[in-house]
Amino acid sequence: MAMAAEIGVKEAFSSQSTELRLLIENLPSPSIVKLTSDKVFNPIFGWKIPKELRAALGKGMECRNKLIHTNGDSIPELSNQVQHLLNFTYKWSRWWSCE
């Protein structure tokens, strides 16, 4: 889920301009937390991602990294974080559709 969110955010940036697409495709990207920060995301898209969703995305990426770089001991933690991320994503998507 965290990887899908990261890919989606990067695709959103890439769709905004050729310059952003070239940067995203050719340079190491900042973390999803930095990409979705108010300082980076808001000027380009004109709206802010809720702080709680950004925090959940950050936790999801931390768990993903632990899973990839360990022997799998963090799988129960990952499961809890994925559920947390799904809950925030659902709440956020309901908020977004009301605007």
Side-chain angles (χ1 to χ4, degrees):
M1 180 62 135
M3 287 177 61
E6 182 177 29
I7 291 168
V9 168
K10 289 179 179 181
E11 286 180 1
F13 274 92
S14 294
S15 71
Q16 294 300 302
S17 72
T18 301
E19 292 83 4
L20 284 173
R21 182 180 54 79
L22 290 172
L23 287 173
I24 293 290
E25 289 176 356
N26 294 295
L27 296 175
S29 298
S31 70
I32 191 167
V33 175
K34 287 183 182 177
L35 284 173
T36 58
S37 70
D38 293 346
K39 289 181 181 179
V40 176
F41 194 88
N42 189 25
I44 293 170
F45 296 98
W47 55 278
K48 297 179 181 181
I49 293 179
K51 180 174 69 172
E52 297 85 4
L53 179 56
R54 289 194 325 264
L57 289 170
K59 286 286 190 187
M61 291 308 292
E62 286 176 22
C63 290
R64 171 199 163 266
N65 291 340
K66 284 182 186 177
L67 181 63
I68 289 171
H69 299 292
T70 65
N71 62 5
D73 293 339
S74 63
I75 291 176
E77 181 184 343
L78 179 65
S79 176
N80 291 335
Q81 293 302 324
V82 167
Q83 186 59 50
H84 186 64
L85 177 61
L86 288 172
N87 289 340
F88 273 114
T89 304
Y90 174 72
K91 289 176 186 175
W92 175 76
S93 67
R94 290 185 62 201
W95 170 81
W96 175 250
S97 66
C98 292
E99 291 216 337

